[in-house]
Amino acid sequence: MCSPEHFAVEYAINPWMDVTASVDPELSVKQWDRLRETLVGLGHEVHLLAPEPGLPDMVYAANGAFTVDGTVYGARFKHPQRTAEAAVHRAFYESRGWRFIAPNETNEGEGDFAYLPEAHGGLVLAGYGFRTELPAHAEAQEALGRPVVSLHLVDPRFYHLDVALASIDDGNIAYYPGAFSAASQRVLAQLFPDAVVADDDDALSFGLNLVSDGANVVLNNEATRLAGRLKAAGYTPVPVELAELKKGGGSVKCCVAELRP
């Protein structure tokens, strides 16, 4: 995770960003810190990436890389405003001895990749259409040695996979069908017949931008119906408020890069 010490909406690179909307820096840090405390309270270890001035979106740490079994497939951001973030993430992993594979193709890390180790023997779900380019899916498959299923995002409000779909345990997902092409919807329905399906309101409140450890699901507090569906499916919803960070187009998952040693 990376503190929103320098977080601001200084440019608009997704439909949620409004440069005329004011951001409360103090409240941003307070809400982010509460998320960090929640994860620690659930028994997870949180590593911190030092924020850098001039990189206001660094708080969205999920976008910097994608890790599977100790191998890191690095990010290559689409927009120049975020390009410099990739090197900071690479330095973090290399300083800790992870095997790092630099990308040639445009991709935005866990923003567009999700890993399910027990789904069909180990599966990567990968989004494309707005940020990550389709050739990056083949590159990730070669880098990580895991089969990659490409999913076409068609609604610009769901510009990353992680605002439309999330793994809720090692073999199942929650998702919003309307974010995907008709063909991708059919693929998801076939692969995950027991998935938790979100409605429009919960998807648009960033409810699917969540982090789950297979039992506890940390999600945006506005996604009340999704929380109920997760509870009915046997999970424990843990709501958190991240209203300030939503102004940049992200919520819980965007703030968390999951490390898979």
Side-chain angles (χ1 to χ4, degrees), residues 59-136:
V59 64
Y60 303 125
N63 303 152
F66 176 54
T67 70
V68 174
D69 293 344
T71 297
V72 185
Y73 176 54
R76 184 176 182 178
F77 288 89
K78 177 176 181 176
H79 296 287
Q81 294 94 331
R82 299 196 66 184
T83 300
E85 294 178 40
V88 183
H89 285 268
R90 178 172 185 167
F92 172 87
Y93 289 104
E94 290 187 333
S95 70
R96 286 158 177 80
W98 290 62
R99 176 174 175 249
F100 186 92
I101 297 176
N104 293 311
E105 306 293 345
T106 299
N107 82 88
E108 299 200 343
E110 280 199 312
D112 275 319
F113 291 105
Y115 182 52
L116 292 101
E118 293 180 6
H120 308 277
L123 200 62
V124 175
L125 301 180
Y128 72 99
F130 297 103
R131 296 292 186 86
T132 295
E133 300 291 340
L134 191 55

